[in-house]
Amino acid sequence: MNTKEYNFDGTRVIIHSPLAHLTDEERAEWMLREQAADNPVIKEIERVINACYNDKTKSRGD
């Protein structure tokens, strides 16, 4: 089964992905492989995370 369930402050989160069953190290390796393969979804996630980080840094005046 490719689902994994978590509870965060009374909110149930269900992940439907085989990635949920990987170790942190396996997920990191998977991410590096996908980045090297120019996966467009991973590239967009990376862009959005960096944009959020840059916005937060700018708002602090760093």
Side-chain angles (χ1 to χ4, degrees), residues 3-62:
T3 62
K4 194 165 187 179
E5 187 173 320
Y6 297 92
N7 285 297
F8 299 102
D9 295 324
T11 300
R12 185 171 72 162
V13 176
I14 301 173
I15 300 173
H16 300 276
S17 172
L19 292 174
H21 299 284
L22 299 178
T23 65
D24 289 345
E25 186 175 285
E26 290 169 330
R27 268 194 300 277
E29 290 170 2
W30 179 87
M31 181 67 80
L32 290 173
R33 281 194 307 272
E34 292 302 307
Q35 286 173 321
D38 288 328
N39 179 322
V41 174
I42 299 300
K43 295 289 183 184
E44 180 64 9
I45 291 169
E46 193 174 45
R47 185 195 67 74
V48 170
I49 289 170
N50 286 331
C52 290
Y53 177 77
N54 289 337
D55 287 347
K56 185 173 183 131
T57 302
K58 288 177 187 174
S59 70
R60 288 193 329 227
D62 292 349

